[in-house]
C-alpha cells in the first residue's frame, strides 16, 4: 500500500469512527494538528508504521488496513553451546551454557514442536554428509526421544560423547548409522544410548 492509499484509508476510518484528528495526534504523542496536516497537506509524507498500527488499534480495525505488515510471532529457543558431532563425536563439558535464539513460532507449530522442548545444536564433522554439513544448525525436538522400527535422525549421547546419527530400534538394541559411507554403522545396546531428541529441521548458511 503506497503513501497516498494509506492516507485515504486513514481519513475514511477516522470519518467513520467519529474521532477527531486532534485525538489521534495526541494518541501518537504529537501536537494537535499533526494528523490533520498529514491528511490535508501530506505532511509528513507517510505516518510511521508504529503510529499507523496504534491508530488502527484505537479505531478498532485491522492494522493491515493501513498497510501495516503483520507481526511475526517468535519463540525463544535455546541454542546449545556445543557441537553435535557428525564425525567421531564431541565431548560435552558444559551443556548449561546456552545462547538464546528466536525461531518462528508458526514454523514450530507446523513442525509439531513445543517451544519448551526445542533446542538448536551446531553440527561438527562430515559423517552425516551429504545430508548435514559441518557448521549446520539443527532444530532438535526433545519430546521425541524414542527410535522406532524406521530410522530417523537424532542427537544422542554414547559414553559421554554427543553426536547426530540415524537411529533404528532393533528390539533391545539400536542401530547407529552415519550418512557418509566412510563411517560404518554399529549396533549398540539400547541402554547404552541416551537419546537427546529428534532432528526436525536444519539451517544452513549458503555463500
Amino acid at each position: 500500500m503506497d503513501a497516498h492509499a494509506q492516507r485515504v484509508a486513514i481519513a475514511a476510518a477516522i470519518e467513520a469512527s467519529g474521532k477527531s484528528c486532534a485525538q489521534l495526534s495526541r494518541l501518537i504523542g504529537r501536537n494537535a494538528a499533526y494528523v490533520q496536516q498529514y491528511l490535508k497537506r501530506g505532511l509528513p509524507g507517510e505516518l510511521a508504521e508504529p503510529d499507523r498500527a496504534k491508530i488502527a488499534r484505537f479505531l478498532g480495525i485491522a492494522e493491515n488496513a493501513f498497510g501495516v505488515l503483520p507481526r511475526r510471532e517468535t519463540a525463544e529457543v535455546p541454542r546449545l553451546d556445543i557441537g553435535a558431532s557428525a564425525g567421531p563425536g564431541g565431548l560435552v563439558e558444559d551443556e548449561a551454557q546456552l545462547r538464546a535464539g528466536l525461531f518462528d513460532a508458526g514454523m514450530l507449530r507446523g513442525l509439531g514442536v513445543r517451544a519448551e522442548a526445542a533446542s538448536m545444536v551446531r553440527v561438527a564433522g562430515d559423517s552425516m554428509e551429504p545430508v548435514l554439513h559441518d557448521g549446520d544448525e539443527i532444530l532438535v525436538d526433545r519430546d521425541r526421544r524414542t527410535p522406532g522400527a524406521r530410522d530417523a535422525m537424532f542427537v544422542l549421547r554414547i559414553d559421554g560423547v554427543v553426536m547426530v546419527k540415524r537411529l533404528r530400534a532393533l528390539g533391545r538394541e539400536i542401530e547407529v548409522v552415519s550418512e557418509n559411507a566412510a563411517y560404518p554403522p554399529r549396533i549398540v545396546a539400547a541402554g547404552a544410548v541416551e537419546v537427546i531428541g529428534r532432528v526436525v529441521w536444519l539451517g544452513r548458511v549458503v555463500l
Side-chain angles (χ1 to χ4, degrees):
M1 178 181 283
D2 62 24
H4 174 71
Q6 290 171 13
R7 196 159 50 248
V8 170
I10 292 171
I14 293 173
E15 183 176 358
S17 71
K19 305 295 184 183
S20 72
C21 290
Q23 281 180 284
L24 299 180
S25 296
R26 289 192 291 271
L27 176 72
I28 61 175
R30 303 289 185 170
N31 65 68
Y34 187 84
V35 170
Q36 185 174 28
Q37 289 179 342
Y38 161 70
L39 296 176
K40 301 297 185 183
R41 300 172 56 192
L43 297 174
E46 183 177 19
L47 284 183
E49 187 168 283
D51 290 342
R52 282 182 275 135
K54 187 178 293 186
I55 289 173
R57 291 193 296 271
F58 179 74
L59 297 179
I61 62 177
E63 295 178 5
N64 61 8
F66 298 160
V68 178
L69 296 176
R71 288 168 290 182
R72 191 175 69 172
E73 182 187 358
T74 58
E76 190 172 275
V77 174
R79 183 176 283 110
L80 297 182
D81 197 16
I82 61 175
S85 178
L91 289 173
V92 180
E93 296 179 357
D94 188 1
E95 285 185 12
Q97 294 181 1
L98 305 178
R99 296 178 291 119
L102 294 179
F103 204 89
D104 186 282
M107 183 177 291
L108 283 180
R109 287 193 293 269
L111 293 169
V113 180
R114 296 185 307 114
E116 298 81 2
S119 296
M120 295 294 295
V121 179
R122 180 179 53 82
V123 173
D126 66 352
S127 77
M128 295 303 283
E129 294 274 7
V131 178
L132 297 180
H133 301 331
D134 184 72
D136 285 351
E137 283 202 295
I138 51 178
L139 179 68
V140 179
D141 182 0
R142 300 192 310 276
D143 279 340
R144 296 187 233 180
R145 301 173 59 187
T146 305
R150 297 181 61 181
D151 70 273
M153 197 174 293
F154 291 87
V155 172
L156 60 141
R157 183 188 288 106
I158 299 178
D159 296 329
V161 177
V162 171
M163 60 190 74
V164 54
K165 301 291 180 186
R166 287 196 176 276
L167 301 182
R168 184 165 66 100
L170 301 172
R172 296 183 179 181
E173 296 178 315
I174 293 178
E175 184 181 39
V176 182
V177 180
S178 301
E179 294 286 349
N180 189 334
Y183 296 81
R186 56 177 170 154
I187 296 176
V188 299
V193 179
E194 179 188 350
V195 180
I196 295 171
R198 182 169 175 174
V199 178
V200 295
W201 180 90
L202 75 90
R204 177 174 298 158
V205 176
V206 179
L207 300 179

